[in-house]
Amino acid sequence: MTTSNTTPRASVPHLATEVPGPRSRRLEERRRTVVARGVGSAVRTYIEAAGPGLLHDADGNTFVDLGSGLGVTGVGNGAPEVAAAVAEAARLFTHTCFLSNPYQGYVEVCEELARHTPGDHEKRSVLLSTGAEAVENAVKVARAATGRTAVVALDHAYHGRTNLTLGLTARHAPFKAGFGPFAPDIHRVPSSYPYRDPDGLTGEDAAHRALEPLERQVGAENVAAVIVEPVQGEGGFIVPAPGFLPALAAWCRRHGALFVADEIQTGFCRTGDWFASEHEGIVPDLVVTAKGIAGGLPLSGVTGRAEFMDAVRPGGFGGTYGGNPVACAAALASIRVMRERDLAARARALGLSLTTRLAGLASAYPAFGDIRGRGAMVGVEIVRPGSHEPDPELAASLVAACQARGVMLLTAGSWGNVLRFLPPLVLPAELLTHALDVLEECCEQVIG
C-alpha cells in the first residue's frame, strides 16, 4: 500500500492530482508486467479505500461512485455492518467447505433467499461463488427437472464469461471473440427493446416475435429453460415493454419449460423492489442471484421451486468455495441492512432523482436519445442527433470527462453507447446532485 490506513480522507469529492495521478500511474506500470492484458479496467485509478458513495484513490483523490462495483456494493463499499460481520466470521473460521463440514450461515442465507425471492411456494437454494457459476447451475437444474436440453436466451443478453454462459451472452466482442466453440443447444431470440423496436410493437407482440420462430425451429417440447434478465444490464439497461416478460413466463408454463430470471444485477433492491421480476408480478421457476447479495464478497445462488431444485441428485451441486462462511456472514448483514433501511424505497428515490435530472439534460441535448431503467438502475442511450444511430464515441468522451472531474461513470450497451447509472443504494442525495452537476458541465464541455 502506498498510504497508511490512518491517512485522512475527504468526505466530499476532491481532486488532489490529475486523473490518474502519479501513484496510480506507477501501479499501472507494475500491472503491465504481471497482470494478463485480457483483464480490463474501465478506469486506471487505483482505489485504496471507500465510503458511502465515495472512492478514495492512491493519490488522495476522492470520487463519487456511480458504478458500485458493477452493481455489487448496493449497501456501500465497506458498509460497517458488513465489515463487522466479516471480521467476526473470519475470527471464528474462514472455511470448511460446506460439502464436507456444513455450518449455520449457509442455511440462514438460503432461508433469506426463500423469504425474499418472488412467490410463496416451497423453495430450495444452492450457494455458489460467481454469477456465471450460478447461471450454469440453473441450466443444470432445468435440464435435470425437464429431461430436455434446449436453452433459450435473448438478444442483448449478458449471462457471464464461462463457456456455457458465453453461449448465452449475445455480444461477440469483447466477450466471445476467439473463445468458441460454445456449449451446444443454446438458441437466441429477439428481445423487447422499446427504443429500437417498431413503433406500436407491444410487449405481447414482441413475445410472439420471439416465440414463433422458436417453436418452429427448435420445438417447444425440447426447451428446458428460457433465461432472461428482467432488465438487461450489460446490454444497455433495457426495460422490456410491459407484457413481454409475462408472455414468456406464460409460454413456459404452457409448454413445461422453466422460466429462469437472471437477477444477478437487478436483485436485492436495485430496481426498487427486492427483485425486478416483481414489477410485473412474475414468479420465476428459478431465480439466479449474485452481485448485491453480499456487499462485495463472492457469493451467488440459485433459488427455485423445491420440486425443480430437488431434481438434481445428491452430489450434483458443488464447488469448493460455494457458500463460504465469511461470504454468508456478509450476505446476512447486507440483507439486514437492505431490510432495516428499506433500500428498495431508497432505490426508487434515487431513480426518480436521476430520471428527472436526466430528462432536463435530454431536452437540451438531442444526443440523449433514450432515458430508461428501474429504480437505481438507469441508462441513457447516446445517439447521433436526429437518428437512433448509436454514438459510442460521444458516450466515451462524456464518461472520460466525468472521470477526470471526479465522477466514476461507466458505459454499457451492445454498441457501448449507454451511460450506466448504477449508484450504491446508500449514496447520499447531495453526492448524486454533485455528480449530475458534473455531468451537466461535461455535456457543455464535450457537446457544446
Side-chain angles (χ1 to χ4, degrees):
M1 299 288 286
T2 53
T3 61
S4 74
N5 58 13
T6 59
T7 301
R9 303 190 189 277
S11 58
V12 295
H14 169 73
L15 293 181
T17 71
E18 71 277 21
V19 179
R23 288 177 173 171
S24 283
R25 292 198 300 271
R26 287 197 292 272
L27 283 166
E28 184 65 16
E29 290 173 6
R30 291 165 57 185
R31 167 192 176 135
R32 291 194 189 103
T33 67
V34 292
V35 178
R37 68 171 187 164
V39 181
S41 295
V43 188
R44 298 302 173 96
T45 181
Y46 283 72
I47 303 303
E48 288 196 340
L54 293 172
L55 300 172
H56 309 284
D57 79 356
D59 293 283
N61 299 309
T62 297
F63 305 86
V64 181
D65 178 17
L66 294 184
S68 57
L70 297 181
V72 170
T73 54
V75 298
N77 306 76
E81 301 90 338
V82 176
V86 166
E88 176 61 14
R91 184 186 69 81
L92 295 172
F93 64 105
T94 58
H95 192 58
T96 65
C97 186
F98 194 78
L99 303 181
S100 58
N101 300 100
Y103 37 85
Q104 181 173 322
Y106 191 114
V107 177
E108 290 179 335
V109 172
C110 292
E111 289 172 338
E112 292 288 355
L113 287 168
R115 182 175 298 119
H116 289 293
T117 51
D120 56 7
H121 51 276
E122 189 176 357
K123 300 170 187 172
R124 302 281 188 272
S125 292
V126 57
L127 301 183
L128 305 145
S129 299
T130 70
E133 189 182 6
V135 171
E136 293 224 5
N137 277 272
V139 172
K140 286 162 57 176
V141 171
R143 286 173 169 167
T146 64
R148 306 170 181 180
T149 59
V151 180
V152 179
L154 299 179
D155 197 12
H156 306 288
Y158 178 86
H159 296 289
R161 297 176 189 247
T162 59
N163 183 271
L164 188 148
T165 57
L166 279 176
L168 296 168
T169 291
R171 188 173 173 183
H172 173 66
F175 303 130
K176 302 170 73 166
F179 297 141
F182 303 111
D185 219 356
I186 292 173
H187 307 271
R188 191 169 315 285
V189 298
S191 58
S192 171
Y193 195 155
Y195 180 63
R196 297 189 173 276
D197 283 342
D199 290 342
L201 189 78
T202 67
E204 292 82 0
D205 292 337
H208 176 76
R209 179 182 63 181
L211 295 170
E212 188 279 330
L214 177 65
E215 293 182 355
R216 178 166 38 83
Q217 297 174 20
V218 180
E221 69 278 8
N222 296 314
V223 176
V226 175
I227 182 166
V228 303
E229 302 158 273
V231 177
Q232 291 186 310
E234 195 66 39
F237 287 25
I238 303 166
V239 181
F244 176 74
L245 295 178
L248 294 188
W251 184 91
C252 287
R253 285 194 303 273
R254 227 170 23 249
H255 295 286
L258 271 58
F259 183 85
V260 181
D262 178 343
E263 295 257 16
I264 290 170
Q265 190 163 162
T266 54
F268 296 101
C269 301
R270 170 58 59 183
T271 64
D273 276 315
W274 275 87
F275 291 93
S277 300
E278 298 174 80
H279 290 284
E280 290 197 71
I282 297 167
V283 179
D285 296 305
L286 304 177
V287 178
V288 182
T289 53
K291 288 192 183 288
I293 189 174
L297 271 71
L299 188 70
S300 63
V302 182
T303 302
R305 297 182 184 274
E307 64 270 25
F308 298 145
M309 294 295 294
D310 285 345
V312 177
R313 65 183 182 275
F317 290 130
T320 303
Y321 299 106
N324 169 271
V326 179
C328 284
L332 293 170
S334 296
I335 292 169
R336 186 167 60 252
V337 168
M338 294 173 208
R339 187 165 50 235
E340 292 176 354
R341 298 190 189 177
D342 193 3
L343 291 190
R346 180 63 186 146
R348 294 193 294 272
L350 286 168
L352 179 60
S353 297
L354 274 166
T355 53
T356 300
R357 185 73 179 273
L358 292 169
L361 288 175
S363 66
Y365 298 102
F368 281 47
D370 190 34
I371 299 168
R372 55 180 180 255
R374 291 193 190 278
M377 184 176 181
V378 175
V380 177
E381 184 147 0
I382 303 298
V383 296
R384 291 181 171 82
S387 74
H388 285 193
E389 183 182 354
D391 194 342
E393 293 82 10
L394 177 56
S397 295
L398 288 170
V399 164
C402 286
Q403 292 170 356
R405 294 186 181 213
V407 173
M408 287 300 170
L409 181 63
L410 304 174
T411 59
S414 294
W415 297 276
N417 69 314
V418 176
L419 304 182
R420 177 199 318 232
F421 295 87
L422 204 65
L425 304 182
V426 295
L427 181 73
E430 61 271 18
L431 289 183
L432 180 61
T433 297
H434 171 84
L436 292 171
D437 287 344
V438 168
L439 175 62
E440 184 169 355
E441 293 167 4
C442 291
C443 286
E444 294 172 1
Q445 170 195 338
V446 174
I447 305 175

